[in-house]
């Protein structure tokens, strides 16, 4: 029989070492000249880890009376940290450093292990297949028949040697009938008790439903009162808001009226000086009649200039013809009728130009 374990003292649970998250492991090795953060010395073997409990499973383990760490343990941890830091500094001093790169180049971190490892973002996968033979038909398992042991022996029983059924079955029947009647009476009593319980439960349910209905009525009445109170409060707030808004509008209207009393005449005078208020008849004359009149005058002047150009061309033609006629003298010194005809044409042309000049402008 195992000994009973004594009750543990009522001391709150505490860790031997506070739990912490694992530090992020860098992908490449850090250069030797960079300063590395000091790492807390940790045990590399589970048999030397002080957090692992050792000994017999049923041994009595007493928890520490206080949650404060032991000063000796703290001193040992600090000494171990100092030793690890000194060992790391000695290794860094012994390890030869890499010279600085020349101008235009830079150092690249490479793997210096014995076996190079290809760094990939995914895991290499390969598909393999294997084909097995078809299953053979297995013969049916034969029926298991145990081997026969021993010898066959028979016994002869004569009439009246065992027992009389009518005599022996009477007490058994009395017991069965008594038990059946007793069980029937118990069941009847249970049914009556269940009927009473159902009636009591039904009355209790009716009373509870009535109380629940009354509670719902009171809750509904309370809800209506609260809603009416909230509605009255909102109406009062809306009334105050509208009253305040009306007061602000009246004050703004009075201020705007007082401010615009001298502003409207100055605005109208500026608009009048800028030409926004004009006479529609004068504006119609300036925008429609005068441009039409100028276009008609320009067209009439163009016609007159064209007539003068035509007249100049006719005069030039006549002068050239007369010059040519005078340059060739007639053989018999006979007067010709061409000169008077030309002079008559010139006079007719001058008369037409004078009539066109004297005509009034349409």
């Amino acid at each position: 029989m195992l000994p009973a374990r004594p009750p543990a003292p009522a001391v709150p649970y505490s860790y031997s070492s506070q739990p912490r998250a694992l530090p992020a492991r860098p992908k490449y090795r850090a250069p030797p000249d960079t300063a590395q953060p000091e790492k807390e010395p940790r045990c590399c073997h589970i048999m030397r880890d002080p957090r692992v409990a050792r000994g017999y499973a049923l041994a009595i383990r007493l928890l520490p009376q206080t949650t404060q760490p032991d000063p000796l343990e703290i001193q040992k941890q600090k000494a171990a940290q100092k030793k690890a830091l000194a060992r790391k500094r000695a290794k860094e001093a012994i390890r030869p450093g890499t010279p600085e790169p020349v101008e235009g180049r830079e150092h690249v971190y490479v793997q210096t292990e014995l076996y190079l490892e290809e760094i990939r973002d995914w895991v290499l996968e390969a598909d393999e297949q294997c084909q097995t033979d078809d299953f053979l038909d297995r013969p049916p398992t034969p029926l298991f028949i145990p081997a026969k042991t021993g010898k066959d022996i028979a016994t002869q029983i004569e009439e009246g040697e065992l027992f009389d059924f009518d005599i022996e079955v009477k007490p058994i029947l009395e017991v069965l009938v008594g038990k059946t009647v007793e069980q029937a009476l118990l069941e009847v009593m249970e049914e009556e008790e269940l009927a009473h319980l159902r009636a009591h439960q039904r009355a209790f349910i009716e009373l509870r439903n009535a109380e629940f209905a009354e509670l719902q009525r009171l809750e509904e009445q309370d809800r209506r009162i609260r809603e009416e109170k909230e509605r009255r409060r909102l109406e009062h707030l809306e009334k105050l808001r509208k009253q305040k808004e009306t007061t602000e509008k009246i004050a703004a209207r009075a201020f705007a009226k007082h401010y615009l009393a001298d502003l409207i005449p100055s605005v109208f005078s500026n608009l009048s000086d800028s030409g926004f208020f004009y006479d529609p008849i004068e504006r119609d004359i300036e925008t429609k009649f005068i441009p039409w009149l100028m276009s008609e005058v320009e067209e009439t002047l163009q016609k007159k200039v064209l007539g003068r150009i035509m007249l100049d061309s006719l005069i030039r033609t006549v002068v050239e013809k007369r010059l040519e006629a005078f340059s060739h003298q007639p053989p018999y010194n006979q007067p010709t009728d061409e000169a008077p005809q030309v002079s008559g044409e010139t006079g007719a042309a001058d008369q037409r130009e004078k009539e066109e000049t004297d005509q009034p402008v349409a």
Side-chain angles (χ1 to χ4, degrees):
M1 186 174 181
L2 297 176
R5 185 176 298 178
V11 178
Y13 181 77
S14 62
Y15 295 99
S16 297
S17 61
Q18 293 296 330
R20 57 187 176 80
L22 293 176
R25 185 177 179 182
K27 191 173 183 181
Y28 300 102
R29 183 179 298 174
D33 53 352
T34 58
Q36 297 181 356
E38 296 182 1
K39 296 182 180 179
E40 182 181 350
R42 57 182 180 179
C43 186
C44 59
H45 201 275
I46 192 172
M47 296 301 296
R48 299 179 182 177
D49 193 349
R51 297 173 294 178
V52 179
R54 299 176 184 81
Y56 186 50
L58 298 177
I60 299 174
R61 299 175 187 172
L62 297 177
L63 295 175
Q65 297 297 332
T66 59
T67 58
Q68 299 295 333
D70 191 4
L72 297 177
E73 188 68 24
I74 295 175
Q75 189 175 2
K76 289 180 181 180
Q77 290 181 2
K78 289 183 178 180
Q81 291 180 4
K82 290 180 180 179
K83 289 181 181 180
L85 185 59
R87 192 181 302 110
K88 185 177 67 173
R89 290 177 180 175
K91 287 183 180 180
E92 290 179 357
I94 294 172
R95 182 185 300 173
T98 305
E100 294 295 331
V102 298
E103 185 179 359
R105 298 186 181 181
E106 61 180 357
H107 288 322
V108 178
Y109 299 106
V110 297
Q111 298 181 10
T112 58
E113 287 80 2
L114 182 59
Y115 299 100
L116 298 179
E117 178 185 359
E118 184 178 3
I119 300 175
R120 296 174 175 271
D121 294 338
W122 65 91
V123 180
L124 294 177
E125 298 178 357
D127 297 336
E128 297 292 341
Q129 297 179 357
C130 179
Q131 180 65 36
T132 58
D133 298 335
D134 297 337
F135 291 103
L136 300 177
D137 295 335
R138 181 174 177 273
T141 303
L143 182 64
F144 175 72
I145 301 176
K148 185 176 181 181
T149 60
K151 296 180 180 180
D152 296 336
I153 296 175
T155 302
Q156 180 64 31
I157 299 174
E158 298 297 338
E159 184 178 357
E161 290 184 356
L162 293 178
F163 63 93
D164 190 357
F165 178 79
D166 295 337
I167 297 174
E168 299 293 338
V169 80
K170 186 176 180 179
I172 299 175
L173 287 176
E174 289 178 356
V175 172
L176 291 176
V177 171
K179 286 291 183 183
T180 305
V181 172
E182 184 180 0
Q183 184 68 27
L185 291 176
L186 289 175
E187 291 180 356
V188 170
M189 292 175 63
E190 289 179 357
E191 289 178 358
E192 291 179 356
E193 186 177 359
L194 289 175
H196 287 296
L197 290 175
R198 290 193 187 94
H200 184 68
Q201 185 177 7
R202 192 179 303 108
F204 174 75
I205 291 173
E206 291 178 357
L207 180 61
R208 188 184 63 178
N209 292 335
E211 292 179 354
F212 185 70
E214 183 67 17
L215 179 62
Q216 286 183 346
R217 187 184 66 80
L218 294 177
E219 288 180 353
E220 184 67 20
Q221 183 179 0
D222 189 15
R223 186 186 62 81
R224 289 197 300 269
I225 292 173
R226 282 189 283 104
E227 289 180 356
E228 181 68 19
K229 183 179 178 180
E230 185 67 20
R231 186 172 60 82
R232 293 290 180 86
R233 188 179 66 84
L234 294 177
E235 288 179 357
H236 182 65
L237 293 177
E238 183 68 18
K239 181 180 179 181
L240 293 178
R241 187 185 64 81
K242 289 184 178 179
Q243 186 177 0
K244 182 179 178 181
E245 185 178 356
T246 305
T247 305
E248 291 178 354
K249 286 183 178 180
I250 292 173
R253 182 175 178 276
F255 176 75
K257 186 176 181 181
H258 178 71
Y259 179 74
L260 296 176
D262 299 333
L263 185 63
I264 293 175
S266 61
V267 170
F268 275 105
S269 62
N270 292 334
L271 292 176
S272 178
D273 296 339
S274 300
F276 285 94
F277 301 106
Y278 53 85
D279 189 5
I281 299 175
E282 183 180 357
R283 186 63 175 271
D284 192 10
I285 292 173
E286 291 178 355
T287 56
K288 294 182 179 180
F289 178 72
I290 292 179
W292 173 80
L293 182 61
M294 295 300 296
S295 61
E296 292 294 332
V297 170
E298 186 177 359
E299 185 179 356
T300 304
L301 292 177
Q302 288 180 358
K303 289 181 179 179
K304 288 186 176 183
V305 170
L306 180 60
R308 290 182 180 182
I309 291 172
M310 294 297 295
L311 181 59
D312 292 341
S313 62
L314 291 175
I315 293 173
R316 184 180 181 83
T317 304
V318 171
V319 169
E320 289 178 355
K321 287 183 178 181
R322 293 184 66 179
L323 181 60
E324 185 180 358
F326 283 114
S327 61
H328 298 284
Q329 295 180 1
Y332 300 106
N333 294 328
Q334 294 179 0
T336 58
D337 298 335
E338 292 180 0
Q341 187 178 358
V342 172
S343 61
E345 293 177 358
T346 304
D350 293 339
Q351 187 176 2
R352 283 198 306 271
E353 182 181 357
K354 184 176 181 182
E355 291 177 355
E356 289 178 0
T357 306
D358 294 338
Q359 287 179 357
V361 179

